[in-house]
Amino acid sequence: MKNNQKEVTAMNCRRVCQLLIEYIENDLPLEISAKIDDHLRECKSCSREFTRIQKTINLIRKLPSITPAPGITQEVMAKLEEEPTDKRFIDKFTFFSKRLVVAGVTLALIFCVLYGTMTLFVRRSSFSPFQTWVATVQAVPFDLKETGWWISRKLPADERLAYKDKYVGVVFGGILDHPTEVDFLVKWIRPDGEIFKETVWKGRVSTGLCSFMSDLAIDDYKLRDEKKEVTEAAFTGEIVSWKQEGRMIDFRGSWRLEIYINKKYQMAFQIEV
Amino acid sequence: MMGDNKDWSVVKRCLNGDRQAYALLVEKYNKPVFNIVYRLTGNIEESREITQETFLKAYKSLNQARPEFKFSNWLFKIATNICWDQLKKKKIVEIPLNNSTSFADNIMNYDISDNSLNPEEELIVKEQQEYIQKTIESLPFIYRRIIVLRYIQNLTYKEIADISKMPMGRVKVQLYRAHKILNDKLADIL
């Protein structure tokens, strides 16, 4: 009841637009529908939005049903004929399968614990060719590139993104005592293990302090495939980057940012989304 | 026409060894499965293969199916998961839309359910349908799935939530976002 009261008293355009789909589908309480009726009578912008959504729904609903060419049932049943029919055999196979799965999962868990423990030690050892090395993850409510990566909060490992965060980036770099050919790679790995984004810097870094950043707008859904030649005093080479379709915020859970130098794994950060 | 209880009684027969009974379920559901898969992939041949794979996979997992849910929805869940796996294997590409303005100029003059259209009008309607299909295909998979399940298959939010393994609230949010993207992509014709 309290939530409905909130809906009724605060019926601004943003809220109306969020409810329009349910309104069109008659999926709202009468009181709220009535308020939306009143709002649409007064508001041209929301009224246009209502018309657009309704037209979209109608266009899609009117798409014809496609009839597949006949024979699917026969093809499926023919393939099933090739499967073993002995129930006892299937039961045994299922039984062995389950035990194998349990054994496999147990081994995988042991491996993960060992690997995780080793990582804690490995990631702070060699970062060749750098004399010194630092890496940090930052999350900010604005575009990192526009305002500079040294502002705002820095995420230690395992921190959760905040509601206001719009961009997240990993900044890494160090000091070189001589010009060096480098091959940096940052991988953004989704909670389900799929690589979501990769950025590679390949080229020559000059002596002194150098830093790089790989960032992601958490609400960006577009596919990206970019290559850029860079000629600067600090770095000369190419930056190659790709990103999958989809938004970071649609994949809730533990993301992993892995950093590689010259194809060797260096360290990783974990961000909770 | 078989109701959902009858579907589960056929499943029971299959689990008791009556393999041929499965043909009843394949015959009943191959068209809706095919339609969902086609709207998700846009490819007729691939849709046929995925439809077959759906039924084969479902048969092998019949003992895991749960009678408290609709058998059809369980099939749709398997089908959409296979589509997602197939799309992941190929690199996911956003399919560019044809932005021909002459096409868009004609698009709203005809009702695509009107049976009295002449051949030229029918051609325009067909092009419109293809344009909308391509627009759906250009959506990220999570939005494509929800649009197809809601407006092509007319599933409820609860059913979509069960299939997609997410809370109903998130289904509604995703549908809202899908509409926002569709509004941009279909701006010329809305």
Side-chain angles (χ1 to χ4, degrees), chain B residues 22 33 50-59 75 78-79 82:
Chain B
Y22 193 62
V33 168
I50 293 176
T51 302
Q52 288 181 16
E53 198 181 328
T54 299
F55 284 104
L56 291 170
K57 224 172 181 175
Y59 183 82
L75 275 180
I78 295 174
I82 295 174

Side-chain angles (χ1 to χ4, degrees), chain B residues 19-134:
Chain B
R19 177 178 283 172
Q20 290 307 314
Y22 193 62
L24 296 168
L25 294 169
V26 180
E27 193 57 32
K28 182 179 178 187
Y29 289 115
N30 75 77
K31 189 175 170 186
V33 168
F34 182 88
N35 267 280
I36 288 173
V37 172
Y38 174 71
R39 293 296 171 200
L40 288 174
T41 62
N43 183 302
I44 293 276
E45 278 146 26
E46 198 178 350
S47 299
R48 194 180 179 86
E49 285 169 15
I50 293 176
T51 302
Q52 288 181 16
E53 198 181 328
T54 299
F55 284 104
L56 291 170
K57 224 172 181 175
Y59 183 82
K60 288 173 191 167
S61 334
L62 276 181
N63 56 351
Q64 294 167 30
R66 289 157 65 185
E68 60 265 35
F69 299 115
K70 276 188 182 175
F71 179 77
S72 55
N73 290 347
W74 183 64
L75 275 180
F76 299 155
K77 183 175 178 175
I78 295 174
T80 55
N81 287 343
I82 295 174
C83 286
W84 172 233
D85 290 340
Q86 297 282 27
L87 287 167
K88 273 194 300 185
K89 277 181 198 165
K90 317 175 194 175
K91 195 165 177 188
I92 300 169
V93 175
E94 187 171 304
I95 299 161
L97 296 176
N98 176 3
N99 287 323
S100 162
T101 51
S102 61
F103 166 67
D105 286 343
N106 289 323
I107 201 118
M108 286 312 292
N109 293 338
Y110 306 105
D111 177 353
I112 58 175
S113 61
D114 185 346
N115 292 329
S116 65
L117 301 177
N118 64 41
E120 190 188 336
E121 289 162 346
E122 277 186 13
L123 182 64
I124 291 173
V125 162
K126 193 160 181 286
E127 284 178 351
Q128 179 192 52
Q129 290 169 355
E130 283 171 9
Y131 185 80
I132 294 163
Q133 170 63 26
K134 288 294 174 204

Side-chain angles (χ1 to χ4, degrees), chain A residues 21 28 32 40 51 72 75 84 93 110 140 156 189-190 204 215:
Chain A
I21 296 169
L28 290 173
I32 298 176
L40 291 177
T51 306
I72 287 184
E75 285 157 19
F93 185 76
I110 292 169
V140 294
I189 302 172
R190 286 177 356 198
R204 194 172 174 78
D215 68 315

Side-chain angles (χ1 to χ4, degrees), chain A residues 166-168 196 215-221 243 247-248:
Chain A
K166 303 285 179 235
Y167 281 79
V168 59
F196 186 71
D215 68 315
L216 188 63
I218 67 174
D219 207 30
D220 178 11
Y221 77 92
K243 175 194 164 293
R247 296 169 202 254
M248 191 182 186

